[in-house]
Amino acid sequence: MSILVVAEQSNGSVKKATYAALTAAREIATATGLPIHFFAFGPGAANAGAELATYGGASVLVADDASLQNALAAPAGAAIAAAAKDSGASWVLMASTTTGKDVLPRAAARLGGGLASDIVEVRASGAHVAFVRPMFAGNVLATVEIDTPVKLVTVRTSDFATAGPTGGASPVTTSASAVDAAKAAAGKARFVSFDSSGGDRPELTEADVVVSGGRGLKSAENFKSIMEPLADAFRAAIGASRAAVDSGYAPNDYQVGQTGKVVAPNLYIAVAISGAIQHLAGMKNSKIIVSINKDADAPIFQISDYGLVADAFKAVPEFAAAVKAAKG
Amino acid sequence: MKILVTTKRVTDPGTKIKLKADGSGIAADGVEFKPNPFCENAIEAAISLRDQHGGEVIVVSIGPDEADQTIRSAVAMGCNRAIRIDGNDGGLDGDLVARALAKLAESEQPDVFILGKQAVDGDSNQVGQLMAEYLGWPQATFASAITVTNGGKSAQVAREVDGGIETVEVDFPAVITADLRLNEPRFASLPNIMKAKRTAIEVKTLADLGVETTLKVRTTRFEAPPGRQAGKKVADVADLVQKLRNEAKVL
Ligand SMILES: Cc1cc2nc3c(=O)[nH]c(=O)nc-3n(C[C@H](O)[C@H](O)[C@H](O)COP(=O)(O)OP(=O)(O)OC[C@H]3O[C@@H](n4cnc5c(N)ncnc54)[C@H](O)[C@@H]3O)c2cc1C
Ligand SMILES: Nc1ncnc2c1ncn2[C@@H]1O[C@H](COP(=O)(O)O)[C@@H](O)[C@H]1O
């Protein structure tokens, strides 16, 4: 029996989210005494494997194969299931990114294992491990038990620290069975294109400061002219409410909330966002919350450390300038 | 084109959830139920694909008798046939739902099976993916646009993923899960609502489908999350900056 951490990597560099899943894995390892293995897949996996080898695992399995390019769900799920068998895994963890959510269930079905999605806590009592996960847009924390021999979880990265390397060098080996399984499962889906919403701002889920704009900004031009200087002043990532995304003010992957990204930065600044429960689900664990809204009764103020009742069009440029001056 | 689509009866996402005092579940009194919003996007997509390409849409839900009302609202939107798989909400997990839906797909043999990306009660986001694997079908999750390609043999699907929009092409039969920006679900007209009331719902049991009912994942306790204290209102921008620097120490 062992624990398998499935890494996410692109072009050989491991995504930071993986190391939040590793923290959860280390908690399971502490409770159960089981060793941790890693699995990296797709072109570049061998290089990613070299990095993972310094994180104290018993081994690193890799499947560096073209059939796993773009992490299409069927081949990726098949490869993960094969790697889990190879490493004798009784626990399989992956970060709850859109890739993790897309592919890990397919591995679960192959392994006949129960899957708990988006866990926020590992709750161990002795060697027995249960998980806590939010339900109902974060209104409920549920304790879940997985009853199958192989147990799978996706890990909400904002609730686990980023694990660090331990030094040393675990052996890195290619999992031939993972490559074979991926090849056999490939073919019915094809990657067509990727349209990046990119920019050079910090990743929303990793940023120290997040500034989010809502429907009150009223247009894409306003969203840009109000939110970008504020983000620049804080070197922050930009987020948005669903209403702002639906209205086309911001790209889809800026959405923070129940059905978008979950963030927990040191500082979260909500601008012209009312504070619907589905939005709070994605940001209420931020350390300091600031909100700027012209309606003194906006629900967002009930969870904010600092609330400013003001017109965003006037207050935010002033705020950005003051922060820029303060930061020098 | 034959399309299967799901609907799920969930607690109204607009109402406050209350827990039973002993933490064993959700307090049911005064709770309103609605169709899962993501399922409404799935149904809208199914109906408009049928309207463009011909064929039929069959809506299915797994739930108790009360789910019939949820199914009827899908029929009122324009689904052709309706099936309920009898199941108690407390006796299901994502895997059991996926295996039951996979059995139905094997007998109905649709070209496309469209589900919501997640149910807003459990927020699990796994049924469509599990089912796709049980069927050995390709999947396109978190869809924000669907275009049928290759003369009706496949579809290109735009997917809302971290970092942007990915487009994949999946060969039929395929599983697609709907994100909220896929479309604007239509409102049913009064005549269609009346008609839906008379539509027969075919009821199947898990035993009829030959589905093993042991759960893989059990929820053993429900707790309220820790609350967050409201802080203070600041007077103006200068006051905010001063407090962020001296009190919160984030400047
Ligand atoms: C199934 C489901 C899932 C959802 N998932 C999400 C999700 O993941 N994330 C999410 O955010 N939402 C989500 N929602 C939507 C959510 O319920 C709200 O509709 C949404 O969050 C509202 O966005 P908003 O606060 O920007 O808009 P509004 O609620 O319209 O609020 C706009 C605010 O701007 C203020 N304002 C207006 N003008 C100004 C000004 N000049 N200066 C200052 N303030 C001003 C107003 O006072 C108001 O408070 C979901 C809903 C459903 C049903
Ligand atoms: N009991 C159910 N009946 C019908 N469809 C369901 C049921 N449970 C889940 N689904 C479908 O599966 C999707 C994903 O659900 P989940 O994985 O539970 O978040 C939902 O959006 C529904 O389309």
Side-chain angles (χ1 to χ4, degrees):
Chain A
M1 293 203 299
S2 68
I3 302 164
L4 184 68
V5 174
V6 181
E8 241 182 275
Q9 62 92 23
S10 69
N11 300 320
S13 69
V14 178
K15 296 224 172 113
K16 195 177 161 199
T18 303
Y19 297 119
L22 175 56
T23 295
R26 285 180 179 168
E27 290 178 21
I28 299 171
T30 303
T32 60
L34 296 174
I36 294 175
H37 300 266
F38 293 96
F39 177 55
F41 62 92
N47 287 336
E51 178 182 326
L52 293 164
T54 62
Y55 280 76
S59 83
V60 179
L61 295 174
V62 297
D64 195 332
D65 190 76
S67 61
L68 289 160
Q69 187 147 26
N70 302 307
L72 290 169
I80 293 166
K85 284 186 187 144
D86 263 8
S87 56
S90 38
W91 303 87
V92 182
L93 295 88
M94 193 167 178
S96 186
T97 57
T98 48
T99 304
K101 289 173 186 168
D102 189 47
V103 307
L104 204 65
R106 294 202 69 128
R110 285 204 165 219
L111 294 164
L115 167 65
S117 311
D118 225 10
I119 63 150
V120 296
E121 192 186 323
V122 174
R123 204 168 267 188
S125 101
H128 180 82
V129 176
F131 299 99
V132 178
R133 58 177 303 273
M135 292 171 61
F136 299 93
N139 278 310
V140 176
L141 290 177
T143 305
V144 294
E145 311 256 353
I146 307 176
D147 293 335
T148 46
V150 184
K151 302 167 173 62
L152 301 98
V153 298
T154 56
V155 176
R156 182 176 282 193
T157 57
S158 60
D159 285 78
F160 290 87
T162 303
T166 53
S170 346
V172 181
T173 48
T174 288
S175 169
S177 53
V179 173
D180 291 346
K183 283 185 170 145
K188 293 177 183 168
R190 289 166 295 283
F191 173 82
V192 176
S193 62
F194 182 67
D195 186 4
S196 166
S197 57
D200 39 18
R201 295 197 186 276
E203 168 84 30
L204 193 49
T205 52
E206 294 169 8
D208 195 46
V209 181
V210 173
V211 300
S212 288
R215 172 150 50 196
L217 292 172
K218 296 192 178 65
S219 73
E221 295 71 42
N222 292 343
F223 190 96
K224 199 172 150 69
S225 67
I226 296 294
M227 299 308 292
E228 288 196 346
L230 187 62
D232 291 340
F234 279 105
R235 291 176 199 90
I238 302 184
S241 70
R242 177 186 166 199
V245 175
D246 284 3
S247 311
Y249 305 170
N252 65 288
D253 78 316
Y254 280 32
Q255 182 177 316
V256 170
Q258 179 192 16
T259 55
K261 288 185 175 159
V262 179
V263 301
N266 262 325
L267 177 61
Y268 187 89
I269 303 175
V271 176
I273 290 177
S274 61
I277 190 78
Q278 292 88 2
H279 187 77
L280 305 192
M283 46 64 77
K284 68 177 181 201
N285 290 336
S286 304
K287 211 140 160 220
I288 302 280
I289 298 174
V290 171
S291 46
I292 301 176
N293 195 303
K294 70 175 181 190
D295 174 6
D297 297 322
I300 190 83
F301 287 127
Q302 288 162 22
I303 58 126
S304 300
D305 300 283
Y306 301 105
L308 175 60
V309 182
D311 185 338
F313 295 111
K314 193 173 160 292
V316 175
E318 225 180 283
F319 183 34
V323 170
K324 211 168 163 212
K327 288 205 157 198
Chain B
M1 214 163 145
K2 183 168 177 179
I3 306 171
L4 272 182
V5 67
T6 47
T7 189
K8 185 183 186 193
R9 171 181 176 263
V10 298
T11 50
D12 180 349
T15 58
K16 181 109 186 77
I17 294 297
K18 288 195 222 79
L19 294 175
K20 289 184 189 158
D22 63 359
S24 65
I26 305 299
D29 48 303
V31 177
E32 297 249 9
F33 290 91
K34 290 234 163 119
N36 179 36
F38 290 93
C39 291
E40 296 184 302
N41 294 98
I43 295 160
E44 177 64 37
I47 292 168
S48 52
L49 284 173
R50 178 206 57 201
D51 290 348
Q52 285 165 44
H53 302 278
E56 63 166 340
V57 175
I58 304 158
V59 61
V60 53
S61 187
I62 307 184
D65 292 350
E66 290 86 345
D68 281 356
Q69 201 192 337
T70 313
I71 294 173
R72 286 190 199 287
S73 59
V75 173
M77 282 175 74
C79 298
N80 304 85
R81 273 169 59 202
I83 300 171
R84 180 167 61 83
I85 301 174
D86 194 43
N88 166 347
D89 292 331
L92 302 173
D93 63 11
D95 187 75
L96 177 49
V97 170
R99 286 183 290 116
L101 295 176
K103 285 283 186 211
L104 190 69
E106 278 164 9
S107 64
E108 292 286 345
Q109 303 200 348
D111 299 294
V112 189
F113 202 143
I114 311 180
L115 303 85
K117 88 161 173 181
Q118 78 194 63
V120 297
D121 49 1
D123 282 334
S124 279
N125 194 335
Q126 53 173 261
V127 167
Q129 300 89 311
L130 290 167
M131 187 186 75
E133 183 62 38
Y134 285 125
L135 291 165
W137 293 3
Q139 73 189 41
T141 52
F142 326 145
S144 62
I146 304 171
T147 313
V148 173
T149 50
N150 292 324
K153 293 201 179 66
S154 58
Q156 286 201 359
V157 180
R159 307 180 54 230
E160 295 206 6
V161 298
D162 296 341
I165 303 273
E166 181 188 70
T167 302
V168 295
E169 187 171 58
V170 286
D171 292 337
F172 294 163
V175 173
I176 297 174
T177 75
D179 216 319
L180 294 170
R181 274 176 285 276
L182 180 56
N183 51 42
E184 194 68 57
R186 71 192 66 189
F187 288 103
S189 66
L190 198 58
N192 284 347
I193 293 171
M194 299 313 290
K195 216 171 95 193
K197 284 196 174 143
R198 297 187 304 270
T199 300
I201 297 174
E202 192 183 332
V203 179
K204 295 179 187 284
T205 64
L206 291 165
D208 292 339
L209 292 166
V211 177
E212 215 272 309
T213 55
T214 311
L215 298 185
K216 292 181 175 163
V217 179
R218 285 174 302 120
T219 304
T220 53
R221 205 181 137 75
F222 295 80
E223 295 163 65
R228 198 175 167 118
Q229 287 290 308
K232 45 194 136 192
K233 293 260 169 69
V234 296
D236 51 26
V237 167
D239 188 22
L240 174 60
V241 171
Q242 186 274 112
K243 289 205 164 72
L244 288 179
R245 175 187 294 158
N246 299 326
E247 247 177 48
K249 305 205 188 301
V250 291
L251 269 184

